[in-house]
Amino acid sequence: MKNFNKIAGIVLISLFTLFSADVCQAQTLGTKKVVTFKLQSYACGSDVCEIEFKDISSGKIYTFENIDKKSKYDAVMDEILESYENNDESDSKIIGKTYKAILEFRKTEVLSYDGDIPKRTGKQKSQWMINSIFK
């Protein structure tokens, strides 16, 4: 029985170590991955627009908070905005459209919001950011 407990402990520690290494590797700065997004919503107010993409594999939601100055998304955003405006400011014609995106785990600036206007805080955080979106 002592040997069984010892072996079970070693197996559990080994599995935990492997799992931890896998999770840590996925969160290394500079790591990139390709995902498929489904557009969930798009809306514009008087000062700001909001968008939600859903990673169809993980279910994670990505917004403009996952886009920064390194992101390349102009063609897709132009298409979404044009459809939105041509349909009386409705996202009904674009909801559910799928796009490919390259994500990168990188440091990005932390912004604070005073109303709808973002302000720089001087702090940084590491998170998955959108490098590019394409069809």
Side-chain angles (χ1 to χ4, degrees):
M1 193 62 166
K2 287 183 180 180
N3 284 340
F4 177 77
N5 288 340
K6 195 176 205 181
I7 292 171
I10 291 171
V11 168
L12 287 175
I13 290 171
S14 298
L15 288 173
F16 179 73
T17 303
L18 288 172
F19 176 74
S20 296
D22 188 43
V23 169
C24 291
Q25 182 182 11
Q27 300 300 314
T28 302
L29 290 176
T31 300
K32 293 180 183 175
K33 63 182 177 181
V34 178
V35 299
T36 302
F37 278 161
K38 183 179 279 191
L39 183 64
Q40 298 295 294
S41 67
Y42 182 81
C44 288
S46 58
D47 291 338
V48 69
C49 293
E50 296 178 10
I51 195 164
E52 282 191 0
F53 290 106
K54 183 177 184 178
D55 177 345
I56 61 174
S57 295
S58 70
K60 183 168 175 19
I61 299 293
Y62 293 85
T63 66
F64 279 126
E65 289 184 12
N66 301 97
I67 295 174
D68 62 10
K69 61 186 175 195
K70 294 181 182 179
S71 303
K72 295 179 181 121
Y73 57 90
D74 292 338
V76 168
M77 290 303 166
D78 289 345
E79 175 187 296
I80 291 170
L81 179 59
E82 183 179 330
S83 177
Y84 179 79
E85 289 175 345
N86 290 341
N87 290 293
D88 298 320
E89 296 188 349
S90 169
D91 61 2
S92 63
K93 301 264 184 190
I94 51 178
I95 295 300
K97 282 196 164 196
T98 58
Y99 302 92
K100 293 284 187 188
I102 298 174
L103 303 179
E104 180 181 1
F105 193 74
R106 66 175 176 246
K107 288 189 181 276
T108 188
E109 195 170 15
V110 175
L111 302 174
S112 68
Y113 292 87
D114 183 15
D116 291 331
I117 300 170
K119 292 185 179 178
R120 293 184 167 149
T121 64
K123 298 177 183 176
Q124 289 193 329
K125 64 181 176 181
S126 299
Q127 69 179 32
W128 286 105
M129 299 296 288
I130 298 170
N131 266 5
S132 60
I133 304 174
F134 48 93
K135 285 187 162 186

